[in-house]
Amino acid sequence: MLRNAPPIDPARLDLAAEYRAKPFGRHSPDLQALLNVMRRAENCQDLILVSIAPNRWVLGHREPDGKPPTLFTDQVFDRLEDGEWEGFKRRWRALTGQELVLP
Amino acid sequence: MTVELKKPTVVGYVDRLYAYPGDEVTLRVSVCEPTKRYRAELVRLVCGETGPKGPGVKEERVASAVDGEHDGIEQRTSFGSHGIVDNLPALGAVAISVLAYPTLPGRGRQALVALGTLRLVLDETGAPALLVGDRALSAGVALRDQWWHRIEARYDPATGAAAIAATPFAGLHADRAQSAEGRLEAGAAPSGPLFFAAAPGPDGGATEHFYGKLEAPRLVSGTVDAQWDFSRGIDTARIEDVSPSRLHGRLVNAPKRAVTGSRWDGSVHHWKLDPSHYAAIHFHADDLADAEWKPSLRFKLPERMKSGFYAIKLTGSSLPFHVGLIVSPRPGARCAKLAVLASTVTYLAYANYRRRMSPGPFELAMGTLPTVDLTDVFLAEHFEFGHSTYDVYRDGYGVGHSTFRRPLFNFRPTGRFWNFAMDLCIIDWLDQQGIDYDVISDHELQDRGADLLSSYRAVMSASHPEYYSSEMLQAVEGFLSRGGRFMYMGGNGFYWRVTFPPAWPGMIELRRAEDGTRAWEEMPGQYNHATGELGGLWRRNGWPPNMLFGVGFYAQGFDNSSYYRRTAASCDPRAAFLFAGIDDEIIGDFGASGDGAAGLEIDIYDRRLGSPPHGLVVASSENHSNAFMLVNEEILSNRQGQDGAQNPAIRADMVFFETPSGGAVFSTGSIAFVASLAHDNYRNNVSRLIRNVVDRFIDPQPFAIPKP
Ligand SMILES: [Fe+2]
């Protein structure tokens, strides 16, 4: 992580809850700032959502050099929102060193 | 848990993007599974994959001569660009020279010039080398990328004596010249055909493609002193030898011409003003103008069939592959009053979009993770099917060519809810409404011009008609000036100039010059297409979309969509027909694309850019998300506070105005709009509004421009 990148505060579970409730659409300034950190190239983990059938999604990893994405088939999501949430949790874990558990 | 991953195993393409009933169509198919059997059927596409909030896929089988089980082969794709001189005289000792500007040295062996077993290459380290068979004489040091060098080589088959030299062009930080002399295997007579930027491959194709620019190759042997001048015939697929030998050649797979050469010094910016500055050709191992597959089936379309979006559906043992095709009425045949103009040029510009599967901070631009399906993953497994114009070549230069002579992965009802798949929302709605219509296409518009439109009272665009040629725009303007009615049913339309280079049938060219919301930027000095036209935005080429359609691109965001609020102007008597039966102030707060009619890419009314003064902005969207950002052609200097949550000007404008000869224009200003038509079983205010527009626009009663 870049030294001057804004940190993610693991205490801000309120922001995670806001994202969980509404991953698409208008976010609070604090949530948007957090997302902007997570989505930086060095933090985004090059995630991708791959539809394996209508309304069935898995996460995957975007590979360099034109290679096809690697699919994580151990978890299948019925809704895009659930796939986005899993991506959020993975980034939270990587940036804070802590598992994201919402009450 | 095991998850079944179904990908296509059969892919194909047809020889055209639109056809008339009864036309013969040639289908090329590749079967990538051991049985080499596949099933084909013709289907009319009614609705695409819409996600859970829309009606979902609807298609109708249409009995045709293509139906049934067929034997196939796995096809070889001609991939990578190069030059070939077919007819060479017998050669003895040779001296070869060429100017080279490598753009990806060190990525495998790359041939600059090949004469049978004699090859002048950049080796695996990027150093120039002369090869005879497996023996190499290397100049020893890798060439610097993106710098011009003169490469010279000599070989005498009688003795095996060889020499190679590389001299960087002068410059403040130029490398030093390098050279080597030695002996290679004797007796290997240099022979044709002569290859530039590749070597002959084992299977009759080409291999060891070069990434970079070549200029002024010269071949001296006995009485031959061939000198190819790439500044000649820039708009052709020919390369000319200006010597008395006249050893002309041809290009394969559309390497880029009208690019800056070794003499370019910034003093000229249009290749036609001084072609000597543009005497180079940029080659890529990942260029593709024609996959050159063998024909698999020739069949006739039914004589009687409804005009529409069709596909030849190919199925092996797994997921089907759709080969999309627009079927339009034959000229002179009975026409409906309304035509839907399928944006086949834009579909082609987007065809085989790979970059969203590449690493990078995608969500900072989009607001969501990239989404693809297993057909896209199959595309990623097949690099040889080429790029979209949103991609970059392996050397990082932008891809400005796209051809339909290859499998196309976005002319289908499934996958990204965008373009072809989203435009089917219009078809589904028209069918549900029982409205008579024809489907016509950009490619037919390019071929037939205003004559194509003249049979219709009203023309309805697709959801994202982004790429337009000057001929297509002239045709639409001609239609409007003669009283035609136009419904612009989308956003970010009529935005980039494209051209149809005559040298490469099936291909479009575009140059993302100077400005605009761009996947890459054109290199300085080469903003003009091979046709000579200045590339870039229509708003920088004297034809902002606002002039013809009342609105132009203003913002984009891809996380969700918003709604429109009617304005006071919606109560103007001129607009009364639009809102007949609609009491709501809020329009389109629902939809299958992000829950709203205003979203994805949105346009506004702007007098500065030519929106007509009497245009009525009857509704505007509001309350967009943080993901919606002002387009960069609206930004002179970067500034904060420009996203949809902070800048209330981020919006879509819905506009209506009359034209001088009794015609009219209605524009929605949003790509997501058409995905709202089916909401609540097609009973909603977006559906009612569009029905009102269609009914009035196909009515011959002329519109009148208001008195000032
Ligand atoms: Fe676009």
Side-chain angles (χ1 to χ4, degrees):
Chain A
M1 198 170 134
L2 296 181
R3 257 184 304 152
N4 63 354
I8 285 187
D9 180 355
R12 292 299 302 272
L13 294 178
D14 59 314
L15 298 181
E18 183 192 341
Y19 183 78
R20 166 91 225 193
K22 191 180 176 188
F24 307 131
R26 199 179 270 205
H27 306 310
S28 69
D30 283 1
L31 173 56
Q32 188 62 50
L34 182 150
L35 288 172
N36 290 350
V37 175
M38 283 188 165
R39 290 169 172 175
R40 292 177 67 90
E42 63 272 28
N43 298 335
C44 71
Q45 303 179 23
D46 295 326
L47 295 175
I48 187 168
L49 276 163
V50 181
S51 169
I52 57 169
N55 305 317
R56 306 269 287 163
W57 301 88
V58 298
L59 274 172
H61 181 258
R62 285 172 274 149
E63 304 294 343
D65 212 20
K67 289 196 286 289
T70 304
L71 307 191
F72 308 142
T73 55
D74 51 326
Q75 258 182 308
V76 180
F77 310 102
D78 298 334
R79 302 184 323 139
L80 267 178
E81 291 87 336
D82 298 334
E84 295 271 356
W85 174 240
E86 174 59 25
F88 187 94
K89 287 198 290 186
R90 285 173 186 241
R91 292 165 177 174
W92 184 282
R93 194 184 307 140
L95 283 164
T96 66
Q98 298 178 22
E99 208 63 38
L100 172 57
V101 184
L102 285 186
Chain B
M1 179 169 51
T2 53
V3 175
E4 197 192 359
L5 300 177
K6 291 183 91 175
K7 292 177 208 161
T9 54
V10 184
V11 292
Y13 62 97
V14 279
D15 55 338
R16 62 186 76 188
L17 295 180
Y18 73 92
Y20 304 131
D23 272 357
E24 188 178 86
V25 173
T26 300
L27 175 67
R28 290 171 164 84
V29 176
S30 185
V31 188
C32 315
E33 63 175 295
T35 64
K36 299 288 175 263
R37 296 278 293 171
Y38 67 97
R39 201 167 68 247
E41 59 188 316
L42 182 66
V43 289
R44 186 175 78 91
L45 303 171
V46 178
C47 191
E49 203 168 76
T50 54
K53 291 184 174 143
V57 173
K58 300 180 197 172
E59 55 185 38
E60 296 172 356
R61 269 201 71 176
V62 176
S64 84
V66 82
D67 290 354
E69 286 253 350
H70 307 280
D71 286 317
I73 56 168
E74 184 160 358
Q75 304 257 12
R76 192 184 70 83
T77 299
S78 159
F79 191 44
S81 63
H82 51 277
I84 297 182
V85 180
D86 290 297
N87 301 309
L88 279 193
L91 302 171
V94 292
I96 303 166
S97 68
V98 65
L99 308 182
Y101 182 92
T103 50
L104 198 56
R107 185 172 181 112
R109 193 154 74 193
Q110 302 177 23
L112 306 175
V113 180
L115 282 162
T117 60
L118 177 73
R119 279 164 294 161
L120 176 61
V121 304
L122 301 185
D123 67 16
E124 288 79 353
T125 70
L130 191 63
L131 266 61
V132 172
D134 294 332
R135 298 272 305 279
L137 175 69
S138 169
V141 181
L143 295 189
R144 188 195 302 181
D145 70 339
Q146 304 184 99
W147 195 275
W148 281 105
H149 309 259
R150 176 178 300 280
I151 316 285
E152 292 160 297
R154 281 185 286 108
Y155 172 69
D156 184 349
T159 62
I164 185 158
T167 312
F169 272 47
L172 189 55
H173 303 289
D175 294 337
R176 273 182 301 186
Q178 344 143 16
S179 62
E181 289 194 30
R183 236 164 244 289
L184 291 166
E185 192 179 314
S191 62
L194 168 64
F195 277 62
F196 294 122
D203 49 3
T207 186
E208 296 180 0
H209 283 92
F210 169 63
Y211 290 92
K213 296 194 262 194
L214 294 181
E215 179 173 330
R218 182 172 179 184
L219 172 68
V220 180
S221 181
T223 57
V224 171
D225 182 2
Q227 298 173 44
W228 290 275
D229 181 353
F230 294 164
S231 77
R232 297 194 174 208
I234 280 176
D235 54 349
T236 74
R238 283 181 292 108
I239 46 182
E240 279 186 37
D241 169 18
V242 296
S243 81
S245 307
R246 316 288 292 166
L247 296 174
H248 303 319
R250 63 192 164 90
L251 295 170
V252 175
N253 272 333
K256 188 167 178 172
R257 303 190 80 162
V259 295
T260 53
S262 66
R263 285 196 206 177
W264 188 71
D265 57 5
S267 63
V268 59
H269 286 262
H270 187 330
W271 63 267
K272 284 197 171 176
L273 292 181
D274 189 349
S276 75
H277 285 236
Y278 295 86
I281 298 177
H282 198 155
F283 297 91
H284 288 95
D286 42 356
D287 266 321
L288 177 57
D290 188 342
E292 292 183 1
W293 287 5
K294 295 187 176 71
S296 305
L297 291 171
R298 284 200 178 85
F299 72 100
K300 274 198 163 182
L301 292 171
E303 292 289 346
R304 297 175 64 84
M305 60 195 298
K306 187 176 163 62
S307 169
F309 284 68
Y310 284 80
I312 299 153
K313 195 170 163 182
L314 305 173
T315 315
S317 62
S318 192
L319 199 65
F321 183 85
H322 289 84
V323 180
L325 179 68
I326 303 298
V327 177
S328 305
R330 188 173 292 283
R334 192 198 68 89
C335 287
K337 296 183 180 113
L338 173 70
V340 177
L341 180 51
S343 51
T344 50
V345 167
T346 298
Y347 308 157
L348 189 56
Y350 274 95
N352 302 3
Y353 184 2
R354 301 171 175 279
R355 211 179 185 183
R356 62 209 165 108
M357 292 183 270
S358 295
F362 185 91
E363 291 157 274
L364 291 179
M366 304 291 282
T368 66
L369 285 169
T371 55
V372 297
D373 69 2
L374 291 173
T375 300
D376 299 313
V377 172
F378 180 83
L379 168 67
E381 290 166 354
H382 290 269
F383 197 61
E384 74 277 13
F385 296 156
H387 298 286
S388 76
T389 66
Y390 287 78
D391 296 311
V392 293
Y393 293 109
R394 278 220 158 111
D395 64 7
Y397 284 71
V399 178
H401 292 161
S402 182
T403 177
F404 64 71
R405 292 183 168 186
R406 58 169 174 161
L408 304 170
F409 281 74
N410 64 332
F411 284 63
R412 60 180 174 123
T414 53
R416 187 180 180 195
F417 195 29
W418 193 254
N419 281 330
F420 193 101
M422 183 169 277
D423 293 342
L424 291 172
C425 293
I426 298 173
I427 299 304
D428 180 41
W429 179 81
L430 287 167
D431 283 1
Q432 287 288 329
Q433 295 285 311
I435 295 171
D436 193 21
Y437 64 92
D438 293 334
V439 179
I440 55 176
S441 63
D442 286 350
H443 279 79
E444 190 179 13
L445 186 60
Q446 178 70 20
D447 291 344
R448 295 184 53 207
D451 180 50
L452 168 66
L453 305 182
S454 62
S455 356
Y456 297 101
R457 292 239 175 87
V459 173
M460 188 185 266
S461 84
S463 63
H464 184 31
E466 180 174 1
Y467 295 87
Y468 255 69
S469 69
S470 57
E471 294 85 359
M472 289 158 63
L473 271 181
Q474 278 164 28
V476 173
E477 185 174 45
F479 173 68
L480 284 172
S481 69
R482 286 189 290 275
R485 287 84 188 261
F486 197 92
M487 298 173 70
Y488 169 26
M489 296 288 285
N492 186 15
F494 319 98
Y495 188 63
W496 292 107
R497 165 178 264 156
V498 294
T499 55
F500 291 73
W504 302 102
M507 198 178 85
I508 52 169
E509 173 170 28
L510 78 116
R511 301 207 175 194
R512 299 190 188 274
E514 276 190 302
D515 198 4
T517 297
R518 296 166 288 181
W520 46 267
E521 66 172 346
E522 186 54 73
M523 297 305 287
Q526 49 190 51
Y527 291 171
N528 290 80
H529 288 227
T531 60
E533 289 164 270
L534 178 63
L537 299 184
W538 277 115
R539 76 180 255 173
R540 298 187 74 103
N541 274 285
W543 227 332
N546 311 62
M547 285 169 57
L548 294 188
F549 309 101
V551 295
F553 192 27
Y554 193 63
Q556 64 177 26
F558 301 90
D559 61 336
N560 81 342
S561 305
S562 196
Y563 56 86
Y564 296 80
R565 186 184 297 278
R566 284 171 59 178
T567 62
S570 76
C571 301
D572 188 298
R574 289 161 56 208
F577 78 93
L578 292 170
F579 293 98
I582 302 174
D583 295 328
D584 310 327
E585 185 184 356
I586 302 298
I587 305 291
D589 51 340
F590 47 78
S593 177
D595 294 314
L600 302 173
E601 299 178 5
I602 52 180
D603 297 357
I604 66 161
Y605 173 90
D606 190 342
R607 288 286 311 282
R608 283 178 313 137
L609 292 169
S611 295
H614 67 294
L616 292 175
V617 178
V618 295
S620 294
S621 69
E622 60 188 28
N623 202 21
H624 286 281
S625 78
N626 322 53
F628 279 74
M629 306 291 270
L630 193 62
V631 296
N632 50 290
E633 58 270 28
E634 289 288 333
I635 299 170
L636 292 174
S637 179
N638 233 324
R639 50 202 153 124
Q640 298 200 338
Q642 294 308 317
D643 70 46
Q646 296 178 73
N647 179 357
I650 300 286
R651 69 189 192 279
D653 286 336
M654 189 186 292
V655 169
F656 164 76
F657 59 92
E658 304 86 348
T659 58
S661 305
V665 171
F666 172 80
S667 295
T668 66
S670 157
I671 294 182
F673 193 90
V674 301
S676 297
L677 286 165
H679 177 74
D680 192 17
N681 204 19
Y682 309 88
R683 285 190 299 268
N684 61 75
N685 54 29
V686 166
S687 172
R688 179 65 199 257
L689 172 69
I690 296 305
R691 180 70 204 230
N692 289 342
V693 180
V694 169
D695 286 349
R696 177 63 185 91
F697 274 27
I698 61 176
D699 181 336
Q701 175 72 30
F703 286 92
I705 289 193
K707 298 241 165 13

